[in-house]
């Protein structure tokens, strides 16, 4: 994993851990539903940000190598990217 991306991804997971604990506490305390939903949506956005970082790392490392190799490796890279975006080849 690219060191800078790894550092940023780990930082985001720490933030997500705190957000999840906060969300559980809000539910436990029966906070106002719209406040709970707002926290849940913030967690979704944070996960999207983490996924973008992980995808960037994959593209810059594994996919680049797989495309250079060509053949089955290239096809595997394409399949993985389609799967990552829920565009599974059938």
């Amino acid at each position: 994993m690219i060191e800078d991306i790894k550092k940023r991804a780990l930082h985001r997971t720490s933030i997500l851990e705190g957000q999840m604990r906060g969300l559980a506490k809000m539910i436990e305390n029966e906070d106002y539903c719209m406040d709970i939903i707002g926290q849940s949506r913030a967690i979704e956005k944070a996960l999207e940000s983490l996924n973008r970082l992980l995808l960037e790392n994959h593209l810059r490392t594994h996919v680049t190598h797989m495309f250079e190799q060509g053949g089955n490796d290239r096809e595997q890279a394409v399949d993985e990217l389609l799967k990552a975006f829920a565009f599974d080849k059938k």
Side-chain angles (χ1 to χ4, degrees), residues 59-88:
L59 289 169
R60 292 184 183 278
T61 58
H62 299 98
V63 172
T64 301
H65 176 72
M66 294 166 92
F67 266 74
E68 288 171 354
Q69 295 300 311
N72 288 338
D73 287 347
R74 179 186 167 114
E75 288 305 309
Q76 180 183 345
V78 170
D79 289 344
E80 287 176 356
L81 291 173
L82 290 173
K83 186 176 181 181
F85 289 99
F87 298 132
D88 293 336

Side-chain angles (χ1 to χ4, degrees), residues 14-89:
S14 294
I15 291 169
L16 279 160
E17 286 174 341
Q19 288 176 312
M20 288 298 294
R21 283 191 300 274
L23 179 63
K25 189 171 186 175
M26 292 173 80
I27 293 168
E28 190 174 284
N29 293 338
E30 298 183 16
D31 286 5
Y32 185 60
C33 293
M34 292 308 297
D35 292 339
I36 296 170
I37 290 168
Q39 178 68 9
S40 178
R41 295 289 292 148
I43 292 167
E44 286 179 335
K45 289 177 184 177
L47 276 172
E48 287 176 15
S49 177
L50 175 62
N51 285 334
R52 275 192 304 276
L53 275 177
L54 297 173
L55 180 60
E56 178 185 350
N57 185 79
H58 189 62
L59 289 169
R60 292 184 183 278
T61 58
H62 299 98
V63 172
T64 301
H65 176 72
M66 294 166 92
F67 266 74
E68 288 171 354
Q69 295 300 311
N72 288 338
D73 287 347
R74 179 186 167 114
E75 288 305 309
Q76 180 183 345
V78 170
D79 289 344
E80 287 176 356
L81 291 173
L82 290 173
K83 186 176 181 181
F85 289 99
F87 298 132
D88 293 336
K89 283 179 28 178

